[in-house]
Amino acid sequence: MKLHHTSTQQYQTVTAYDDDGVDINLVRFNHSLLVLPELPPVAWPVRSFDRLDPEHFAHISSTDPDVVILGTGKRQRFIHPTLTTVLTARRIGVECMDNQAACRTYNILMAEGRKVALALIFDTVDPTNTAKESAQDA
């Protein structure tokens, strides 16, 4: 889905999204990503929802947002509270939703001037697992 150009374009704004990636200010990203309104997007080293660990959230905590919008992929999933202990200890809220809802919510909160972080998970294929699965199928 493409979104309309707004006056918030001086900030990092989601300008399009689909199941395979997201456009931030018209630049395409197809990997897990951390987006903050006033900083360039950075790769977030999360290969899949099932591989989340507390250190992934420690990095987000260092950016000092008020709330983290966690895009959990194509469908909404909920994380175990032990993963976000570092955030809750600093009174940083975490909301889990599918990536498309996360993109829309981030844009709304960012446009309101909120200190929001968008953390999106796009599953990446491990080439070694693909090769193993292909060998097992043969």
Side-chain angles (χ1 to χ4, degrees), residues 85-117:
T85 302
V86 68
L87 296 174
T88 53
R90 296 189 62 208
R91 297 180 184 241
I92 298 171
V94 180
E95 297 293 333
C96 299
M97 51 195 76
D98 67 67
N99 282 353
Q100 293 188 12
C103 289
R104 293 187 301 269
T105 303
Y106 165 82
N107 275 356
I108 292 167
L109 295 176
M110 181 267 310
E112 291 175 351
R114 300 277 306 272
K115 288 180 65 176
V116 60

Side-chain angles (χ1 to χ4, degrees), residues 20 23 47 69 103 124 134-135:
D20 300 316
D23 291 8
R47 296 182 65 87
I69 305 301
C103 289
T124 54
S134 296

Side-chain angles (χ1 to χ4, degrees), residues 11 28-29 41-42 47 60 62 68 70 91 98 105 136:
Y11 300 113
R28 184 71 173 176
F29 296 90
V42 295
R47 296 182 65 87
I60 295 172
S62 70
V68 176
L70 176 62
R91 297 180 184 241
D98 67 67
T105 303
Q136 289 175 352

Side-chain angles (χ1 to χ4, degrees), residues 20-34:
D20 300 316
V22 62
D23 291 8
I24 306 296
N25 291 353
L26 305 176
V27 177
R28 184 71 173 176
F29 296 90
N30 296 94
H31 54 77
S32 295
L33 191 65
L34 181 59

